[in-house]
Amino acid sequence: MTHSLRLGVAGLGTVGASVVRMIARRADALSAATGREIRVTAVSSRDRTRDRGLDLSGIQWFDDPVALAGSGEVDCVVELIGGSAGPAKATVEAALASGKHVVTANKALLAHHGAALAKAAEAAGVALAFEASVAGGIPVVKAIREGLPGNAVSRVYGILNGTCNYILSRMEREGLTFEACLKDAQALGYAEADPTFDVEGFDTAHKLAILTSLAFGTVVDAEGVSVEGISRVQPLDLRMADELGYRIKLLGVAQATAAGIEQRVHPTMVPKSSAIAQVMGVTNAVTVDADAVGELTLIGPGAGGEATASAVVADVTDVAAGLVRPAFGRPSATLRPSERVEMQRHEGGYYIRLTVHDRPGVAAGVATRMAEREISIESILQRRSENAAVNDPRGRSGQPVPLVLITYAATEGNIRAALDAIAADGLLAESPQLIRIERE
Amino acid sequence: MTHSLRLGVAGLGTVGASVVRMIARRADALSAATGREIRVTAVSSRDRTRDRGLDLSGIQWFDDPVALAGSGEVDCVVELIGGSAGPAKATVEAALASGKHVVTANKALLAHHGAALAKAAEAAGVALAFEASVAGGIPVVKAIREGLPGNAVSRVYGILNGTCNYILSRMEREGLTFEACLKDAQALGYAEADPTFDVEGFDTAHKLAILTSLAFGTVVDAEGVSVEGISRVQPLDLRMADELGYRIKLLGVAQATAAGIEQRVHPTMVPKSSAIAQVMGVTNAVTVDADAVGELTLIGPGAGGEATASAVVADVTDVAAGLVRPAFGRPSATLRPSERVEMQRHEGGYYIRLTVHDRPGVAAGVATRMAEREISIESILQRRSENAAVNDPRGRSGQPVPLVLITYAATEGNIRAALDAIAADGLLAESPQLIRIERE
C-alpha cells in the first residue's frame, strides 16, 4: 500500500465537521477504493474552544490556516473557510505554492480566481478539485468534466440555490408573498439574516460561472453573468405561470450562441412537464444539453453539511487515487477567453405581465407596439377586474388589471423597446413584469 | 506530450461507428483534456464490405477481434460486439491477458463475468471500464463509483430499459394494450423482433446487477436478481395507478436489508410526484439513496449510438488520462459475496387487483384473509360492473368486477399466502394481479 494521504482541513463549520467524521467513518471503504489510507492530520479554525462533537486527538491544530497550508505533515488541503478573498484565498494559494493538492467547496473563490488558481495547480503538478462548490452533493462537476468529453455542450442550466427554490416552491404551493416565505426560510435556517447574496442571484451566478467554464472550456468569468434575483416575483406571476403550463424557477443558464457564451441568472418559466420543473424545496438540479447525449439531468441536495462533505470526500478520494487532471477539464492556457453576450441580444420567449388601465383599446395598443418590434404573441391572458360589472355595464372599470402576454422567440432588446413605447403611451399603471421562458 | 493512446475498436455497429466518428470529431478536446492524442488504429467487424460512412483509411482491419486484442499496435480495446460469451468474452480476455486496457458497453458480459474480468484487469494493472453498459449516455457508473465514496448506499433503483418505458408510457397515455404498444415499438426500432430479453426484464436485470456491485461493494450476481417483466401489465392497472396517485414503471431495485442485498426487477408503482415518475419514453433514470447525499437522481438517454458512444469515449478519456482504478470501485478480492434475499422475504407496499364475482360478502372475505396474514389495507377501490343495475336491484350483478387493494408494508410471503387462501375460497374469477409499490 502506498503511503497514506494526509489531509489538512481548514475551516471546521458544519461542512468541515462532517468531512472529519466522514473520513473516519468511511476509512475502510476509502482505503479499499484508493489503495491508500486517508486521514486527517491537521485542522484549523478560528475558535479552538468550541465543542464540535469531534475527536481531534492526534490531529494537529492550527490557528492560522495559511500555516496549516505550509505544514510538512499535510499532502492535501481541504479549504472550507469560504469567501473569495482573505484567509481562504491565502490558504489555497499557499497550499498550491507548497505543492499540495487542494480540495475546496468555495464557489466565490473559484468564480473570481478560478483560472489563476488552476494555472498555479498545473504549475505545481497538483490537483485543484471543487466538486462541492456547485450543487452540493450532486457530482455535477465530475459529470461534465469527465462524463461528457465526447460531447459539444450547447447549454447548461440549473436550479443552483436551495434558498430561492424553497421560497418559490412555497410561494407557488401556498400563494404566499416573497417576503412571507423569506421570513420562514430565515426562521428555518435556509436563508441568511442578510439574504441578498442568495435571493438576488449572486450565489447562483458564482456556481453558473464555474459550470460554464467546465462545459464550454472558457475562462471562468463571474462578472460576465447577467444577474436578476427573485425578490420581484409575485404570487400572481406564479398563478399565471400555472395557468399557462409553467413553473417559475430561479435558473442559471449558460448557452452557446453565435455571439459567444450567454451567462444569465433570472427567474425563469419552465414547462411543468420538464424534469427541472419537478424540483421543489431546497433540492438542486442541473441539465446539460449536449450533441451526443442529448439531455442529461442530475437532481440532488444542493447544500447541507453531509451532502457537501460527500462531494468534498469524493474529491479527496480522487486525489488519493492519483487523479490529477486540469481543474476545468483542459489546461488553463487552452481555456478560451469568455466572450460576453449582452442581455439585450438574448433571444427567447417572454412572459410579460402588464398592469393596464381597464379601458377600451388598451390591448390593441399593446399589441400594436409589440408588432412594431416584430414580436409575435403566442397567447394573451386578460382578467377582468373583480368589481368590473359594478362600475361599467360593458364590464370595464378603468381600474388597473393584469394583461399577460407570452411571446414567441424575440430579442430582449426588442422586448424592452416595445415595453418602453407602451409605457410612453400611458397604457401602464405599474412598471411591467418580465420573466424569461426556457424551453426544453 | 505523452505518446498517443491507440484504440482498437471491436464491433462496428451503430455504437462502434459513432465511437470512431466521435474520437475523430473531438480529437482536439480529447487531447486537451488528457494531454495525449487518442486515435483509432485498428477495427474489427464481421462484414468488411458494408458501407458504414466511415473513413477507415490508415486504420488496420481485423476479421478476428481476438487478433485485434493481441495486436501490438493497440493500447486499449473497445469491445462493442455484445453477448456474454463467444467472441466478446474471448476478445476482452485476450486484451486483458496481453496487458491492454478494456472499455466495453457489454452489460451481459459484465453481469455474468464481471468479477473474474475485474480480477484479470487488476492482475494486468489495466483499466476495465464499462460506463456504456448501464443507462447508455448517463454517467451513472462514474457517479456511483467516484462521486459517492463517502456514502453508504441503502438503495439504488432505476428505469434501465428504454423499450419497456416507451411501452408503459404509451399504454398510460393512450390506454393501449401491451401487445399494441410492443408492435409499434418494433415498427419504430425500439424493440427487437424477439422482444423477450427487453420486455421480460432480463436486460434490466443485467444492468441492475452491475449497479448493485458498484453501490454495495458486492460480487456482481446477475443470477441473484428476481425478474418479472411488463407483459402482464394491463391498461386497467395503469388507470387504477393514475387514480391512486401512481405511475407504473419497470424498475430495477437493489436494496440493503438485514438479510442481505435484495435485487429485483418488476413493474413498480411509483408516486406521481417522484422524479422517476416523470421519466417517459425511451429515457432512462437512476436514483441512489445514500446516507450523506440523501437522494440523487440522474436522467438521460439510455440507448442510441451517439449516447452510448458518449459513455464509451468518456471511459477512453479516463484511460488516456491514466485513470486505472478497480473496476467495481474496490479490489475484486475485497468485494463481498452477494447474499441473495428470496423475494418471499421482500417487504413493501402492494397494489393487488383482484377480479372477483360481484356478490355480497366478497370484499369481507378478501379483507378477512388479508387480516389473517396481518396485512393492513391502506385503500380499497371497488368498481361496480357497468351493467350492475340492470341485473340486480341491489346493484350486484354476480359478474366479474375488479377489486383493487393498496396495502401498507407487508412481506411478499404473507401476500402470496393470503392470495392463495382467497383463491381457495373461490372468490376469484381470474388470477390476481400484483404490482409492488416503491416509495421515495
Coordinates of all heavy atoms in Angstrom, one line a residue, chain A residues 244 246 349-350 375-380 405-409 437 439:
Chain A
L244 N -50.7 28.8 -17.4 CA -50.1 28.7 -18.8 C -49.3 27.5 -19.0 O -48.7 27.2 -20.0 CB -49.3 30.0 -19.0 CG -50.0 31.3 -19.1 CD1 -49.1 32.5 -18.9 CD2 -50.7 31.4 -20.5
Y246 N -46.7 26.4 -16.9 CA -45.3 26.6 -16.5 C -45.1 26.6 -15.0 O -46.1 26.8 -14.2 CB -44.7 28.0 -17.0 CG -44.6 28.0 -18.5 CD1 -45.7 28.6 -19.3 CD2 -43.5 27.6 -19.2 CE1 -45.6 28.7 -20.7 CE2 -43.4 27.7 -20.6 CZ -44.4 28.2 -21.3 OH -44.3 28.3 -22.7
G349 N -38.4 33.2 -25.5 CA -39.8 33.5 -25.3 C -39.8 34.3 -24.0 O -39.0 34.2 -23.1
Y350 N -40.9 35.2 -23.9 CA -41.0 36.0 -22.7 C -42.5 35.9 -22.1 O -43.4 35.8 -22.9 CB -40.7 37.5 -23.0 CG -39.3 37.8 -23.2 CD1 -38.7 37.5 -24.4 CD2 -38.5 38.2 -22.2 CE1 -37.3 37.7 -24.6 CE2 -37.1 38.5 -22.4 CZ -36.6 38.2 -23.6 OH -35.2 38.4 -23.8
I375 N -42.5 41.4 -32.7 CA -42.7 40.4 -31.6 C -44.0 39.7 -31.8 O -45.0 40.3 -31.8 CB -42.7 41.1 -30.2 CG1 -41.3 41.8 -30.0 CG2 -42.9 40.1 -29.1 CD1 -41.4 42.9 -28.9
S376 N -43.9 38.3 -31.9 CA -45.1 37.6 -32.1 C -45.7 37.1 -30.8 O -44.9 36.6 -29.9 CB -44.9 36.3 -33.0 OG -44.5 36.8 -34.3
I377 N -47.0 37.2 -30.6 CA -47.6 36.8 -29.4 C -48.2 35.4 -29.5 O -48.9 35.1 -30.4 CB -48.8 37.8 -29.0 CG1 -48.3 39.2 -29.1 CG2 -49.4 37.4 -27.7 CD1 -47.3 39.6 -28.1
E378 N -47.7 34.5 -28.5 CA -48.2 33.2 -28.5 C -49.6 33.1 -27.8 O -50.5 32.4 -28.2 CB -47.2 32.3 -27.8 CG -47.5 30.8 -27.9 CD -46.6 30.0 -27.1 OE1 -45.4 29.9 -27.4 OE2 -47.0 29.4 -26.1
S379 N -49.7 33.8 -26.7 CA -51.0 33.8 -26.0 C -51.2 35.0 -25.2 O -50.2 35.7 -24.8 CB -51.2 32.5 -25.1 OG -50.1 32.3 -24.3
I380 N -52.4 35.4 -25.0 CA -52.8 36.5 -24.1 C -53.7 36.1 -23.1 O -54.7 35.3 -23.4 CB -53.4 37.7 -25.0 CG1 -52.5 38.1 -26.1 CG2 -53.9 38.8 -24.1 CD1 -53.0 39.4 -26.8
L405 N -49.0 38.5 -21.5 CA -48.6 38.1 -22.8 C -47.5 37.0 -22.8 O -46.6 37.1 -21.9 CB -48.0 39.2 -23.6 CG -48.8 40.5 -23.6 CD1 -48.0 41.6 -24.2 CD2 -50.1 40.4 -24.3
I406 N -47.6 36.0 -23.6 CA -46.5 35.1 -23.8 C -46.0 35.3 -25.2 O -46.8 35.2 -26.2 CB -46.9 33.6 -23.6 CG1 -47.5 33.4 -22.2 CG2 -45.8 32.6 -23.9 CD1 -46.4 33.3 -21.1
T407 N -44.7 35.6 -25.4 CA -44.3 35.8 -26.8 C -43.6 34.6 -27.3 O -43.1 33.7 -26.6 CB -43.2 37.0 -26.8 OG1 -42.0 36.5 -26.3 CG2 -43.7 38.1 -26.0
Y408 N -43.5 34.5 -28.6 CA -42.6 33.6 -29.3 C -41.2 34.2 -29.2 O -41.0 35.3 -28.6 CB -43.0 33.4 -30.8 CG -44.2 32.6 -31.0 CD1 -45.4 33.1 -31.4 CD2 -44.1 31.2 -30.8 CE1 -46.5 32.3 -31.5 CE2 -45.2 30.4 -31.0 CZ -46.4 31.0 -31.4 OH -47.5 30.2 -31.6
A409 N -40.2 33.5 -29.7 CA -38.8 34.0 -29.5 C -38.6 35.4 -30.1 O -39.1 35.7 -31.2 CB -37.8 33.0 -30.3
I437 N -38.6 32.8 -20.6 CA -39.1 31.4 -20.7 C -37.9 30.5 -21.2 O -37.2 30.9 -22.2 CB -40.3 31.3 -21.7 CG1 -41.5 32.1 -21.1 CG2 -40.7 29.8 -21.9 CD1 -42.6 32.3 -22.1
R439 N -37.2 26.9 -22.8 CA -37.9 25.6 -23.2 C -36.9 24.5 -23.3 O -35.7 24.7 -23.3 CB -38.5 25.9 -24.6 CG -39.5 27.0 -24.6 CD -40.6 26.9 -25.7 NE -41.8 27.7 -25.3 CZ -41.9 29.0 -25.6 NH1 -40.9 29.6 -26.2 NH2 -43.0 29.6 -25.3

